[in-house]
Structures are given as C-alpha cells and as structure tokens.
C-alpha cells in the first residue's frame, strides 16, 4: 500500500498590486468565507458602517384569474388636477372605474350599462359624467363599448391574457406606440396633443366664476340689508 501523498493546497490569487492588503475591494479576488457575526465583519472592514435591514416582502397587486397582476400607471399630477377640478363624486368615481377597467394599451372595454351597474347609479347619470370626462380629453371613445384612456394620464402597459385553450399570453403595448396611434387618427386636437394644461386653465376659470358668484351674492345681500334698514 503506497503512502498517501500530502494534499496540495490551492494557490491563492496574488493580491492586486494597486490595492492595499486591507482594502475592501480585495474581497472580490478572494473566496467567500462564513461570517460568524457582525463584529467579525466589522473587524474585516474597519471604518465602514454596517447596517442590516429587514427582509423585503414581495409586492402584492390585486389580481384575478382573468387579469393576473394587472395594474395601471397613473400620473400624480393628473390625480391632483382632477381632485381640484371635479366637485361632484360621480365623475371622480367614474374616472377611478375607467382606470381600473383598462387593458394593455389603455383600452377600456366597458359599456355605459356596465359602468352604471358597477357604480350603482342610473345610466343617464353615467352618460352625463362620461361626457364631461371626455370633454377634457381624459378618455375618448374608440368604438361601441370600447373607450381609450389618454396615455399621459393613466396607462396599462402590459397584462397576462388568458386564452381560450387555458394558456396565458403576455401582451405588452408601449406607451409611445399607443400615443403615436392616437395622434395619427382623426381625433380632436385635445387628444392628438394630450396635455393637462387645458384642465389647469379650466380650474382657474372655474375658480374665477365661483368667486364672481360669491361676490354677487355678497353685493345682493348688502343691498337687501341696506334697503331694509332704509325702510325702517
């Protein structure tokens, strides 16, 4: 039986000539070693701050078998503008429904009957609020029962679509492509050149109108009061 040969140790890589022996970058050329504790790690890299955060949790999005993990990107400025402009609840509720009802590319396959049923309001009320929302270029009508959200305001870029055979297909529509399609179509200038500027102007006009009406009410009240005092 032959004597066992001593095990040769693997040669360690030579230190980088431009790095000092205690430089942290040297760790990239060394084998990983087990860290027994933070004190051990701190002694290895003196002068470095070491922090440990909590384990990150997986992001959760509401999903259904028909629309798994589908969510919309909405401009915060758009939320700010509509919160300032709309005084009634129904237009705001309708906008939230339209945001939630988007499919890839921003299309909304909802009829007015569907909207009325979901919001539990008469269809006539939905029609009035939808006309007001569409007048600001927030949503346009593409065909019967299919609307389109203005991409700079709110947009769904992609979703998983369940096919008839039970499989799923990932559908993605870039925002730039959706905008190019809208601007190339025979649509109003308000939509062909989408912007929130017209809504900002509408807010200012609305506030000026309300201020004018308040001023007129105060003047009428003051005139009525003066007339009553003069009749005494």
């Amino acid at each position: 039986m032959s004597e066992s040969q001593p095990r040769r140790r693997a040669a360690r890589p030579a230190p980088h000539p431009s790095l000092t022996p205690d430089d942290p970058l040297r760790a990239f050329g060394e084998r990983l070693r087990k860290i027994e504790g933070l004190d051990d790690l701190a002694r290895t890299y003196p002068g470095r701050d070491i922090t440990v955060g909590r384990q990150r949790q997986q992001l959760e999005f509401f999903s259904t078998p028909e629309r798994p993990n589908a969510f919309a990107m909405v401009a915060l400025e758009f939320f700010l503008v509509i919160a300032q402009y709309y005084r009634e609840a129904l237009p705001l509720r309708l906008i939230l429904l339209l945001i939630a009802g988007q499919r890839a590319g921003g299309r909304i396959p909802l009829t007015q009957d569907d909207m009325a049923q979901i919001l539990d309001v008469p269809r006539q009320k939905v029609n009035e609020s939808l006309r007001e929302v569409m007048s600001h270029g927030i949503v346009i009508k593409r065909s019967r029962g299919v609307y389109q959200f203005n991409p700079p305001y709110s947009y769904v870029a992609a979703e998983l679509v369940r096919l008839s055979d039970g499989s799923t297909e990932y559908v993605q529509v870039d925002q730039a492509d959706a905008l190019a399609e809208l601007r190339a179509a025979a649509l109003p200038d308000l939509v062909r050149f989408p912007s929130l500027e017209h809504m900002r102007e509408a807010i200012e006009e609305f506030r000026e109108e309300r201020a004018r009406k308040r001023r007129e009410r105060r003047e009428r009240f003051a005139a009525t009061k003066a007339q009553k005092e003069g009749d005494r």
Side-chain angles (χ1 to χ4, degrees):
M1 184 174 181
S2 62
E3 295 184 4
S4 60
Q5 297 294 328
R7 180 178 300 176
R8 294 183 179 180
R9 293 185 177 180
R12 301 187 66 179
H16 196 284
S18 63
L19 299 178
T20 59
D22 60 346
D23 194 292
L25 291 177
R26 185 180 177 187
F28 287 100
E30 297 181 351
R31 292 184 177 182
L32 296 178
R33 62 185 182 85
K34 183 179 180 181
I35 300 297
E36 300 295 341
L38 291 182
D39 290 338
D40 184 26
L41 183 62
R43 284 191 294 269
T44 304
Y45 304 107
R48 303 275 177 163
D49 293 333
I50 299 175
T51 59
V52 179
R54 67 176 183 177
Q55 183 178 2
R56 292 190 177 185
Q57 301 295 324
Q58 182 180 3
L59 292 176
E60 295 182 2
F61 295 101
F62 178 79
S63 62
T64 64
E66 294 77 18
R67 299 186 63 202
N69 293 333
F71 64 98
M73 300 179 294
V74 184
L76 296 181
E77 186 180 8
F78 171 65
F79 276 140
L80 177 61
V81 168
I82 63 175
Q84 291 177 301
Y85 181 77
Y86 289 105
R87 295 292 177 176
E88 298 180 357
L90 185 55
L92 290 172
R93 292 177 61 204
L94 180 61
I95 290 173
L96 291 178
L97 173 61
L98 296 173
I99 291 174
Q102 291 181 87
R103 309 301 293 263
R107 298 203 178 194
I108 310 165
L110 286 175
T111 65
Q112 292 189 25
D113 288 332
D114 295 332
M115 300 176 196
Q117 182 177 2
I118 295 173
L119 297 176
D120 194 22
V121 295
R123 187 181 184 280
Q124 180 61 28
K125 293 291 185 181
V126 168
N127 183 270
E128 295 172 0
S129 296
L130 186 59
R131 283 204 308 268
E132 182 178 3
V133 169
M134 293 175 63
S135 69
H136 291 107
I138 297 174
V139 173
I140 62 173
K141 187 174 183 178
R142 300 301 300 263
S143 61
R144 183 177 179 83
V146 179
Y147 297 84
Q148 168 78 46
F149 224 109
N150 203 337
Y153 298 170
S154 177
Y155 191 72
V156 172
E159 65 174 329
L160 287 174
V161 178
R162 188 172 298 276
L163 304 178
S164 57
D165 59 359
S167 62
T168 57
E169 179 182 0
Y170 186 74
V171 178
Q172 180 177 351
V173 182
D174 290 338
Q175 187 186 48
D177 294 338
L179 273 172
E181 180 186 356
L182 285 178
R183 292 172 178 174
L187 300 173
D189 290 343
L190 193 63
V191 177
R192 187 176 298 120
F193 305 100
S195 171
L196 291 174
E197 188 60 32
H198 68 283
M199 292 192 69
R200 297 192 193 98
E201 294 175 357
I203 290 174
E204 293 303 320
E205 294 176 0
F206 182 68
R207 288 178 171 175
E208 291 176 1
E209 179 67 15
R210 284 193 300 141
R212 184 184 63 80
K213 291 181 178 180
R214 286 196 300 266
R215 185 169 58 253
E216 291 177 353
R217 286 196 299 267
R218 288 195 299 266
E219 292 175 354
R220 287 197 301 268
F221 177 78
T224 302
K225 183 178 180 181
Q227 181 178 1
K228 291 182 177 179
E229 291 177 352
D231 294 340
R232 290 180 181 177

